[in-house]
Amino acid sequence: MNEVPGTGSIVPEPHWSMLLTDELEIASAAENWRRIVSEMRDRSILSPSNGHAIQRLVLSYVIFDRSSREVAEHGAVLKPKRGNPKAIARLSPHFSAMREAASDAAQMESELGLSPRRRSTAAKVERKARSARASDAYIRAVPK
């Protein structure tokens, strides 16, 4: 796994080639990952528990882009099959996937505090050192 400079080992980048086959999609996923992780790091809201949510967000972006290319080429409505009098025009499955990916991405952006409306509500990750307690003086390892 790769790491975005400055994030240390907080959230390592997934191996996109294990999830995606198209080289352009792999490059797009890596670019989106770096953009999101850098923004979260700069705003101090990046934590290890965000790793999988960021991966799902990036994959939603990739699926949206893939589906939108199909819709742009072939349209949002599939034409009825020729020669079948009962065939009707149907909504493209790529259009449905595009809308679903957009909805998933919007929800994930909101949860991660990336959407403009939610930026002010995203709390910074607390990185506290363990405070000393009075009981620490009494509990010690016993030598064997």
Side-chain angles (χ1 to χ4, degrees):
M1 292 190 171
N2 299 325
E3 293 176 9
V4 176
T7 62
S9 60
I10 297 173
V11 183
E13 183 176 355
H15 294 290
W16 297 115
S17 58
M18 294 175 69
L19 301 169
L20 304 166
T21 57
D22 184 74
E23 291 298 319
L24 294 175
E25 288 181 347
I26 292 171
S28 174
E31 167 88 24
N32 285 320
W33 177 272
R34 286 183 182 87
R35 180 179 50 80
I36 293 166
V37 170
S38 296
E39 180 180 340
M40 291 180 74
R41 178 200 61 219
D42 293 345
R43 293 180 42 225
S44 300
I45 58 173
L46 182 65
S47 73
S49 62
N50 297 132
H52 203 263
I54 298 170
Q55 179 180 332
R56 289 193 315 267
L57 175 59
V58 169
L59 290 175
S60 292
Y61 288 162
V62 169
I63 291 168
F64 178 86
D65 292 343
R66 181 188 302 162
S67 299
S68 63
R69 280 192 304 271
E70 277 292 319
V71 170
E73 277 185 41
H74 304 291
V77 178
L78 297 177
K79 295 178 178 128
K81 292 184 180 183
R82 294 177 65 168
N84 185 352
K86 294 182 180 180
I88 58 172
R90 295 175 295 139
L91 194 61
S92 168
H94 297 287
F95 184 74
S96 300
M98 183 180 74
R99 288 181 51 206
E100 190 70 28
S103 175
D104 291 348
Q107 181 181 3
M108 208 64 61
E109 288 168 344
S110 176
E111 288 178 9
L112 291 171
L114 297 172
S115 64
R117 178 178 243 168
R118 302 284 186 217
R119 283 188 182 144
S120 62
T121 60
K124 292 185 176 185
V125 176
E126 294 182 28
R127 304 203 190 285
K128 292 192 253 180
R130 187 174 181 277
S131 58
R133 295 185 179 93
S135 62
D136 291 342
Y138 297 104
I139 301 174
R140 294 188 185 170
V142 178
K144 292 183 179 183

